[in-house]
Amino acid sequence: MNKVKHIAIIMDGNGRWAEIQGKKRVKGHEAGAEVVKAITTYCSNNSEIERLTLYAFSTENWKRPRLEVEFLMKLLDKYLKNELPSYLENNVKFEPIGDTRAFSKSLQKTIKMVEEKTAHCDGLVQSLALNYGSQDEILRAVNSLKKSSQEITSEMLSNALDCKSDVDILIRTGGDTRLSNFLLWQAAYAELFFIDKLWPDFTPKDLKNIVKQFTHIERRFGGLK
Ligand code: IPE
Ligand code: IPE
Ligand code: MG
């Protein structure tokens, strides 16, 4: 039986969820933030799961209307501040990935604050992908290694990435079957689950079902059984 250490999720479908109900798209993001809480708590109570990486804002999401982007930034700030007690209570370490230098100084400060205050937690690592794009991450890693005269090894590149651990399960909600620039290196041998449910409707039970399916998959990593 496979053991799941690292789950990564493309949390897609917030806008559609709201639109179906005649609400503004941003209401979907608020509902989506509640699901982030529920899924993080669920994972923190499952000792097998070491890492949960959630795609919250991509390097491409800046293309959205300014008001939606601003709302997402405010929501992130609020989420992190409100959730700090639960991170601590559930022994969850917060580790952002992505290039957060593009965010406002005050949001960067909140991100740093939660990172520092949860640095001692040794339960689940919850990684939020913030202004994250896999191609950007790989480029930044390659540039950071450029000074070395040594030939770059796979291990060196892997360690220079924001996210240094391979993904076991990669889930995308919202019905689309693409990776949208998420963890392209780390998901090389991930098991992929594309779920029709929109992110605000996703539940810990859905995750439990996926983990159950995963445990029975034959992972060969290019070898033979
Ligand atoms: C995902 O939901 C959340 C973010 C990208 C921030 P969307 O906002 O992409 O929702 P849909 O896909 O338009 O329904
Ligand atoms: C991917 O969703 C990014 C996040 C979930 C943060 P998008 O909605 O931005 O992706 P596309 O545009 O459908 O590829
Ligand atoms: Mg989307």
Side-chain angles (χ1 to χ4, degrees):
M1 281 230 297
N2 301 316
K3 287 213 183 308
V4 55
K5 285 188 180 169
H6 187 182
I7 297 176
I9 311 182
I10 302 172
M11 310 185 287
D12 197 26
N14 291 351
R16 278 166 284 163
W17 181 89
E19 277 158 9
I20 287 167
Q21 300 176 53
K23 293 177 183 162
K24 293 207 166 107
R25 287 180 55 84
V26 294
K27 287 285 168 204
H29 297 313
E30 273 174 357
E34 293 301 316
V35 179
V36 171
K37 290 183 203 172
I39 295 298
T40 303
T41 305
Y42 174 80
C43 291
S44 72
N45 288 324
N46 181 330
S47 59
E48 197 175 292
I49 304 167
E50 295 173 3
R51 193 172 275 272
L52 173 67
T53 304
L54 302 170
Y55 208 2
F57 192 84
S58 77
T59 45
E60 287 72 39
N61 286 147
W62 297 105
K63 293 176 195 159
R64 295 189 177 200
R66 184 179 55 86
L67 284 178
E68 180 165 342
V69 171
E70 277 174 14
F71 184 90
L72 285 167
M73 299 297 143
K74 278 200 202 113
L75 181 65
L76 175 61
D77 195 78
K78 196 167 100 184
Y79 174 86
L80 288 172
K81 283 176 180 155
N82 285 346
E83 282 310 290
L84 180 59
S86 355
Y87 279 104
L88 296 171
E89 197 183 310
N90 295 316
N91 196 23
V92 175
K93 183 179 186 165
F94 168 66
E95 255 184 35
I97 58 168
D99 191 354
T100 53
R101 292 171 301 182
F103 294 153
S104 72
K105 284 277 171 296
S106 82
L107 180 54
Q108 287 186 53
K109 208 171 132 198
T110 304
I111 292 168
K112 259 261 131 3
M113 183 274 290
V114 177
E115 207 182 343
E116 282 168 9
K117 291 222 153 112
T118 62
H120 67 281
C121 296
D122 60 1
L124 178 77
V125 178
Q126 186 226 46
S127 210
L128 291 187
L130 305 172
N131 190 29
Y132 176 88
S134 193
Q135 293 177 340
D136 175 67
E137 177 192 38
I138 292 169
L139 269 178
R140 283 187 285 108
V142 170
N143 278 311
S144 75
L145 293 169
K146 212 167 58 176
K147 293 139 237 155
S148 157
S149 53
Q150 227 184 310
E151 193 163 316
I152 298 170
T153 63
S154 158
E155 203 189 3
M156 280 162 74
L157 180 56
S158 183
N159 284 325
L161 295 171
D162 301 344
C163 172
K164 299 169 191 13
S165 45
D166 289 343
V167 174
D168 296 307
I169 295 179
L170 191 147
I171 302 165
R172 181 179 186 131
T173 59
D176 286 318
T177 49
R178 56 177 169 262
L179 295 177
S180 301
N181 204 8
F182 192 45
L183 301 174
L184 303 179
W185 174 277
Q186 299 87 340
Y189 265 102
E191 301 299 332
L192 309 179
F193 292 83
F194 295 101
I195 309 298
D196 285 334
K197 265 196 181 181
L198 305 169
W199 177 249
D201 291 328
F202 192 75
T203 65
K205 197 165 161 226
D206 294 321
L207 182 57
K208 195 174 168 200
N209 282 335
I210 290 171
V211 171
K212 195 167 165 219
Q213 282 180 58
F214 166 84
T215 56
H216 300 298
I217 293 170
E218 190 184 284
R219 301 181 86 192
R220 291 183 294 277
F221 299 98
L224 299 175
K225 189 63 194 157

